Amino acid sequence: MAGLFDKQADLYLDGRPTYPAQWYSMLADHTLHHSLAWDVGTGNGQAALGVAEHYEQVIGTDVSEAQLKRSMTHPRVRYFHTPLSMSDDEIISLIGGEDSVDLVTVAQAVHWFDLPKFYSLVERLLRKPGGLLAVWCYNDAAVSPAFDSAFKRFHDSTLPFWHPNAFLSIEGYKRLPFPFESIGLGSEGKPLELDIPKEMSFEGLLKMISSWSAVVTAKDQGVDLLSPTVVKELETVWGGSELVRSVICKAFMLAGKAAMSLAARPRYPGKWFSRLAALTPHRYLAWDIGTGTTIGCRALKPVTQVKNSKSMLCHMPKFSVFTPHYQMSDDQLADIIGGGNSVDLVTVAAALQWFDLGRFYPIVKRNISEKPGLYSIDCYKKLPFPFEGAVTGIRQAKVDVTSFSPVNTAKRQIVDLLSEEVVKELEGAWDDITSEFTRFSMADHLFNKQAAIYSEARPRYPSEWFSMLAALTPQHSVAWDVGTGNGQAAIVQYVHTPLAMSDDELVSLIGGEDSVDLITSATAVQWFDLDRFYPIVKRVLRKPGGIIAVWCYGSMEFSPEIDGILGRFFELGIPFQSQSFKIALQCYKTLPFPFESVGVGCEGQPLELDMRKEMSFQGLLKFLRSLPVVHIAKEQGVDLLPEELLKEFERAWGEPEMVRTAIYKTYMLAGKRFELHCTSINACLTFKNNQQRLYLYLANFTVVLESSYDLFF
């Protein structure tokens, strides 16, 4: 269809009505945040410009390059061509990453989309909670009884030339699948009816209907739907070609947020699917059963999915099949999947417990390939599973229990399983793991968002620091920079190390045990799972002589006046600081560091250093905006850099073009693995985070310890 809209791009620009400004205000009032919006099928960008009045950044995308060439510019709008060949992950990355978009709009276009693919993208991109999808279309133009009658006759003549998808728009989106939770602005089957008023000349009317895809299609087939006779009839009932009339276009809107059952469920790691694929000798056909929104089958291609729920089908890729178990025979199901002995992999994600296993397992055995195929079930320790192989249990966090079926079933029976007492107990337990969860989520969410600003705003570490560290290591073969960011503390090769990577995989990737001369971590180690990171360091550091060095910078110094405002800014951020962020603000004085000192700081006593950077006022703002605490506060609806504070900074800075010297106070810890020489027996008991740890010091002989953690038992 992109080629069709390329042809009518000029007509689109001139002929389409303008959507009322109050629509955008209405939608903005229903989103919690106003950072990022995505206008899909943006065309010439008229909806994107309307959205931009309420959101900090708007991204407009379209499959038609011709349409985008005629797009209208706006300082907060960026346009991108998204050809059909672009993958889902590429689109997600282009827009801003998962869970990043506050509003998705589609004006007069969603009926052309591959809905399963599009809705899946929307579900991944929308911010939870509060993200919103709004789609709308318009059809009839009402002017006067005489004109409306003639216009209907013309419209009826176009019907044979409309693409089948267009009838969703002609019918006012009453049949459009829309599996999103209603917010009162229309819902599936019941669109909100709206009017688009427009002052229009007869020439404007002709441009509008000439831009219809049916008119263009008919013309390509040698049929002129706007023949001189038709145009003359319409002109007569209009009242003459010079007359400007008020036209009311009838519009229909659906708006909703991601349904709880979709937004709350975890996403399965791609690594799982790689493991399963590695176990099958052939990869022709996979069958994902009880597929829901296709979370469990997104990585399987080609794939057939079946589902008993119609409401979930529009979230699925092209090979989705609705299979009502109470109507479909086993033979019918086998034929749909591909026949006996045809399937290489069968997957069932969080659904098997609902199945009639006595019927289901024979169907699987009948369809599975003899080459051989593989069965995979996520979960289940007590579930009957009459197949050769092993069940792997993998724990996932970040699940919203309000989406669990027992909770909703009990609620319908007037039993509240999430009473205030239960919620408080869960909150208390959750607090114990908050810091670990924060570390994990920061990597995928916060730092991904601020990657560009990090690169520009952060200071450069002095070269003499690296010379100092190099002088402390006897060999200079391999160094590992952890949490490298944009790589300014490293040179050479970069490798992505997702949190799902095992310790053994990571050790092997770096170069194996006893292979690394220097490990560095620049303003990052506070976010790490130290109980996991330090043992990995112990394994990969070369013995003897391998060194780990970590550092961070905290406050900046410019002048007493600017420093005072900076102090107030950091005080504003205190309520939004995670425990990890506080470790950096405390200059690594509270950072556990179980390594033997090499004279460059030690646990509790970091070495103080200065970094200098020439900085403009805009550079200062970029630095402040790159701080994690600013993003965390913003997501909670608090602006730590309000207009008043920015004006204070600007007044204290002087001329905006002035360049000042910033002094960053930096703190470093460096050390090698402990070597303890013990000549007496000592034992001491310590307490940390309410967990008892016993340290035992061995006597009368020398023992070289891999790490002080080796004393824990």
Side-chain angles (χ1 to χ4, degrees), residues 30-33 101-103 126-133 257-258:
H30 282 85
T31 63
L32 297 177
H33 306 279
V101 177
D102 302 303
L103 175 66
L126 278 183
R127 190 195 294 268
K128 291 95 176 171
L132 186 67
L133 167 66
K257 56 186 180 180

Side-chain angles (χ1 to χ4, degrees), residues 617-684:
F617 180 65
Q618 287 303 315
L620 171 66
L621 295 186
K622 281 186 177 180
F623 172 78
L624 296 178
R625 286 169 177 152
S626 76
L627 294 174
V629 70
V630 172
H631 291 260
I632 292 169
K634 192 171 188 179
E635 291 183 348
Q636 297 179 32
V638 177
D639 186 3
L640 294 183
L641 290 168
E643 196 62 35
E644 317 83 73
L645 189 63
L646 294 179
K647 286 181 179 177
E648 277 194 69
F649 272 123
E650 191 171 5
R651 281 194 297 270
W653 189 270
E655 293 296 323
E657 296 77 20
M658 181 183 293
V659 174
R660 289 179 174 268
T661 301
I663 300 176
Y664 292 82
K665 292 297 181 182
T666 311
Y667 305 88
M668 180 179 288
L669 297 164
K672 59 183 181 180
R673 298 180 323 151
F674 270 107
E675 294 183 9
L676 296 183
H677 303 271
C678 307
T679 57
S680 62
I681 296 177
N682 293 292
C684 64

Side-chain angles (χ1 to χ4, degrees), residues 119-325:
Y119 285 153
S120 176
L121 284 170
V122 170
E123 184 256 319
R124 292 173 65 184
L125 280 164
L126 278 183
R127 190 195 294 268
K128 291 95 176 171
L132 186 67
L133 167 66
V135 303
W136 63 85
C137 68
Y138 57 89
N139 47 39
D140 290 340
V143 179
S144 68
F147 176 83
D148 296 349
S149 178
F151 192 72
K152 184 180 184 306
R153 289 194 297 275
F154 164 72
H155 189 276
D156 289 346
S157 73
T158 69
L159 294 178
F161 302 98
W162 287 106
H163 187 281
N165 290 37
F167 284 93
L168 290 171
S169 174
I170 292 169
E171 296 163 1
Y173 282 177
K174 290 183 176 69
R175 290 191 301 111
L176 181 77
F178 195 74
F180 295 87
E181 188 178 335
S182 175
I183 57 166
L185 300 178
S187 60
E188 186 174 70
K190 298 179 182 178
L192 176 66
E193 296 189 17
L194 299 164
D195 289 341
I196 307 177
K198 182 177 177 68
E199 295 298 304
M200 190 178 286
S201 65
F202 183 68
E203 182 183 359
L205 173 75
L206 288 183
K207 283 186 177 180
M208 182 180 77
I209 57 182
S210 296
S211 73
W212 288 359
S213 59
V215 173
V216 177
T217 300
K219 195 169 187 178
D220 288 344
Q221 297 178 20
V223 178
D224 186 5
L225 294 178
L226 285 171
S227 64
T229 304
V230 172
V231 171
K232 187 63 178 176
E233 181 187 2
L234 292 174
E235 182 182 345
T236 300
V237 292
W238 181 269
S241 60
E242 304 300 320
L243 184 63
V244 174
R245 304 197 66 157
S246 294
V247 177
I248 303 293
C249 293
K250 295 296 181 183
F252 304 88
M253 179 181 286
L254 297 164
K257 56 186 180 180
M260 183 175 292
S261 61
L262 307 181
R265 297 299 165 120
R267 202 168 293 285
Y268 307 121
K271 183 176 171 181
W272 295 9
F273 303 104
S274 300
R275 288 178 181 173
L276 295 174
L279 294 170
T280 60
H282 302 278
R283 300 175 190 177
Y284 300 114
L285 179 63
W287 178 20
D288 186 54
I289 313 170
T291 196
T293 62
T294 74
I295 288 174
C297 72
R298 192 172 282 137
L300 306 174
K301 299 176 183 178
V303 66
T304 298
Q305 314 100 39
V306 298
K307 183 67 182 180
N308 285 315
S309 170
K310 280 186 177 177
S311 65
M312 306 291 269
L313 281 176
C314 51
H315 277 268
M316 300 180 188
K318 293 181 180 178
F319 301 107
S320 302
V321 182
F322 176 53
T323 55
H325 61 84

Side-chain angles (χ1 to χ4, degrees), residues 397 427-443 446-447 499 524-531 576-583 592 632 688-689 691 693:
E427 285 177 346
W430 186 254
D431 286 343
D432 293 338
I433 62 170
T434 296
S435 60
E436 181 176 355
F437 173 76
T438 300
R439 283 197 298 271
F440 280 27
S441 63
M442 292 296 284
L446 182 56
F447 292 120
L499 295 172
V525 79
Q526 68 270 18
W527 301 109
F528 294 179
D529 178 352
L530 296 181
D531 288 334
F576 307 98
Q577 293 169 2
S578 66
Q579 186 57 42
S580 300
F581 191 69
K582 288 176 182 175
I583 290 174
I632 292 169
K688 184 177 181 182
N689 295 333
Q691 294 181 351
R693 290 183 174 179

Side-chain angles (χ1 to χ4, degrees), residues 308-365:
N308 285 315
S309 170
K310 280 186 177 177
S311 65
M312 306 291 269
L313 281 176
C314 51
H315 277 268
M316 300 180 188
K318 293 181 180 178
F319 301 107
S320 302
V321 182
F322 176 53
T323 55
H325 61 84
Y326 45 85
Q327 297 173 0
M328 185 170 284
S329 70
D330 294 0
D331 289 341
Q332 288 174 317
L333 186 56
D335 288 342
I336 284 177
I337 300 309
N341 190 28
S342 63
V343 178
D344 301 299
L345 173 66
V346 177
T347 56
V348 187
L352 191 68
Q353 66 272 23
W354 305 110
F355 292 4
D356 176 353
L357 298 182
R359 181 186 176 197
F360 170 65
Y361 284 146
I363 294 173
V364 170
K365 289 178 180 178

Side-chain angles (χ1 to χ4, degrees), residues 556-613:
M556 288 188 298
E557 295 180 358
F558 290 97
S559 69
E561 188 178 2
I562 296 173
D563 298 347
I565 302 171
L566 280 171
R568 292 205 306 279
F569 162 75
F570 283 111
E571 284 177 10
L572 287 173
I574 289 174
F576 307 98
Q577 293 169 2
S578 66
Q579 186 57 42
S580 300
F581 191 69
K582 288 176 182 175
I583 290 174
L585 284 182
Q586 292 160 356
C587 314
Y588 280 4
K589 290 176 182 173
T590 58
L591 179 76
F593 195 71
F595 298 92
E596 184 178 349
S597 175
V598 292
V600 183
C602 60
E603 187 174 75
Q605 296 179 320
L607 175 68
E608 296 188 17
L609 299 163
D610 285 346
M611 280 191 297
R612 295 176 182 271
K613 178 181 171 72

